[in-house]
Amino acid sequence: MAQSEIDKVRTLLTSKPRPVGWPERRKRLDEIGSVWPVADDVKLEPVDITGLEGEWSIVPASDPSRVLLLFHGGGYCSGSIVSHRRMVTEAGRAARTRTLAIAYRLAPEHSFPAAYEDSVKAWHFLRECDVPASRIAIGGDSAGAGLVVGLISQLRDAHEELPACAWLVSPWTDLTLSGSTLATKDGVDPIIHKAYLNELVDVYLPAGVERNDPRVSPLYAEVSGFPPMLIQVGSAETLLDDAVRFARIAGAADVAVTLEIWPHMIHAWPLWNAQLEPGRRALASAGAFICAHVFSERVSLG
């Protein structure tokens, strides 16, 4: 069943060639990410974070005092609240939290550090809303996962309180593109290829910012003192080695890190959870991980 389901998603992803031009690419990702709408019981609410667009979501059984802050993927050049809405809202259901999705600024119109700055703005917005850091989980897929690591690094270096935990899906951790699976998985990954990643890096990084800068390539970041992390990656994606190497580095730095490698799954497969049973199971696993950390106060008092 799972194999036939992932084959249907592969067909969706490869049914049209990759568009030319950033507006067309963004439109295409919004289309394929929103093929399946959000569930009927999801309540959505837009929010203006001093000029930064965000969206709250919650389902009836979730605790509004706990928040999952999420940054979408798309190579820092595409992706949106729309493209990731189904994944975000179902992640919140699994974690029993409210979610806050962020429409951070995109390259090439806004190169680094625009998205990086927006992630910090979103965090401070939550804290100014009197949400304790211990009740916030942060997550992201692909490039969004890179923003998660960059945000935690900045908070730690500023001696601010850190989130309870972090959730990384198919993380893009190495903008130098040195991962071995960029070559060995190229034939089975339907969407992420080295030439495409090079194109993204070229427009995301301005002159003077090196590809191994730890602010953009988490693989080269100092991660000691990080909160517990869950990393989920598919075995059929070219960024597999980015996830495995980052998990190894985090573990060597005494960070509590859990690495899940999902057989036959492709890049950011939880996006298609409405169609894909392993996508739903991945979200359930992430939800259990997040619950264990953002509800720890309640457990310790109860």
Side-chain angles (χ1 to χ4, degrees):
M1 177 64 74
Q3 189 60 48
S4 63
E5 290 175 351
I6 195 64
D7 288 343
K8 289 178 182 178
V9 174
R10 283 175 172 274
T11 298
L12 170 67
L13 295 174
T14 58
S15 60
K16 298 178 182 178
R18 195 188 303 275
V20 176
W22 299 113
E24 292 78 12
R25 289 181 179 183
R26 291 167 186 166
K27 180 180 178 182
R28 174 63 175 156
L29 183 51
D30 280 356
E31 288 174 350
I32 62 176
S34 58
V35 168
W36 292 280
V38 299
D40 292 340
D41 63 343
V42 174
K43 180 181 178 182
L44 302 173
E45 181 184 347
V47 59
D48 180 2
I49 306 170
T50 59
L52 179 63
E53 181 185 354
E55 184 175 80
W56 291 108
S57 81
I58 194 167
V59 298
S62 290
D63 182 342
S65 72
R66 268 78 175 175
V67 178
L68 172 56
L69 174 63
L70 282 160
F71 302 103
H72 65 76
Y76 302 107
C77 297
S78 58
S80 70
I81 289 173
V82 172
S83 66
H84 283 62
R85 188 174 277 145
R86 174 79 193 199
M87 175 177 163
V88 168
T89 56
E90 291 305 308
R93 184 193 305 278
R96 296 192 288 120
T97 66
R98 276 197 297 172
T99 68
L100 179 60
I102 301 299
Y104 55 86
R105 288 171 290 173
L106 300 175
E109 297 92 338
H110 305 282
S111 59
F112 175 84
Y116 185 73
E117 293 169 347
D118 289 349
S119 70
V120 177
K121 180 187 285 189
W123 172 265
H124 287 152
F125 167 77
L126 280 178
R127 300 292 284 117
E128 289 161 7
C129 290
D130 294 325
V131 183
S134 61
R135 295 188 178 190
I136 303 173
I138 58 175
D141 68 291
S142 196
L147 291 179
V148 168
V149 178
L151 171 58
I152 296 173
S153 294
Q154 181 152 320
L155 295 175
R156 180 203 57 198
D157 293 346
H159 305 290
E160 295 189 39
E161 288 186 89
L162 301 183
C165 61
W167 170 43
L168 312 180
V169 180
S170 300
W172 187 16
T173 66
D174 180 16
L175 272 62
T176 74
L177 307 183
S178 66
S180 63
T181 49
L182 285 170
T184 60
K185 297 293 183 177
D186 185 71
V188 294
D189 190 320
I191 47 176
I192 305 297
H193 304 285
K194 192 170 186 177
Y196 174 58
L197 294 177
N198 264 317
E199 184 181 1
L200 297 175
V201 175
D202 285 343
V203 298
Y204 176 55
L205 296 186
V209 179
E210 299 296 331
R211 290 185 173 211
N212 64 353
D213 187 312
R215 296 172 297 170
V216 299
S217 285
L219 191 66
Y220 304 97
E222 167 55 57
V223 297
S224 60
F226 268 41
M229 293 191 292
L230 170 65
I231 302 173
Q232 296 178 315
V233 66
S235 69
E237 56 175 303
T238 53
L239 292 183
L240 172 61
D241 200 33
D242 277 39
V244 172
R245 289 183 295 162
F246 183 66
R248 182 183 302 119
I249 287 170
D254 298 315
V255 175
V257 57
T258 301
L259 173 65
E260 296 179 355
I261 302 176
W262 287 71
H264 311 296
M265 291 300 105
I266 61 174
H267 189 67
W269 76 100
L271 270 171
W272 298 283
N273 61 83
Q275 168 69 26
L276 192 58
E277 191 268 340
R280 295 190 291 276
R281 288 195 288 113
L283 292 182
S285 178
F289 170 81
I290 293 167
C291 281
H293 295 285
V294 300
F295 286 90
S296 59
E297 293 174 315
R298 179 176 295 173
V299 171
S300 64
L301 293 173

